Amino acid sequence: VPFDCKLNYVNLFSDQSGGSIFAGIWRDSFGNYPPTSGDTIAPSGVPLISGAIRNSYSGTAALSGWTTAFRKGDVLKFVLHSGATMTRVTVALQVGVGD
């Protein structure tokens, strides 16, 4: 992470509709690399797509309980927990500065 920021949106895009995919996002400081499952930013509401081609998490309600504050130098790790039918997923984060 190149600067202090706040997570506003998490968008997931799949290569095909149908099936499901669960992705994890783990965050830790550079000094504590590598992030582990205990460093998840989404302890509830793990990012997922189910029966669709995309999904979005945005706003206070959707990101409730998530770690949304990132610090300069943090390292993010994206982990595929499970998937069925889908073979590729893109995870796009939108962050804001000074929010």
Side-chain angles (χ1 to χ4, degrees):
V1 176
F3 46 80
D4 292 352
C5 56
K6 179 184 174 200
L7 180 64
N8 294 322
Y9 301 95
V10 177
N11 295 303
L12 293 96
F13 305 93
S14 175
D15 60 328
Q16 54 192 304
S17 62
S20 62
I21 201 159
F22 294 85
I25 306 170
W26 302 349
R27 178 200 57 88
D28 209 338
S29 67
F30 180 83
N32 286 330
Y33 182 86
T36 64
S37 61
D39 299 314
T40 182
I41 70 165
S44 61
V46 173
L48 68 95
I49 302 174
S50 182
I53 198 162
R54 66 186 175 284
N55 196 8
S56 181
Y57 296 82
S58 63
T60 305
L63 299 174
S64 177
W66 290 39
T67 299
T68 56
F70 298 153
R71 305 304 256 165
K72 180 179 180 177
D74 281 350
V75 176
L76 301 177
K77 181 177 182 178
F78 297 85
V79 180
L80 179 62
H81 291 301
S82 67
T85 305
M86 299 173 182
T87 58
R88 291 185 304 271
V89 64
T90 299
V91 179
L93 307 179
Q94 182 191 45
V95 298
V97 179
D99 293 337

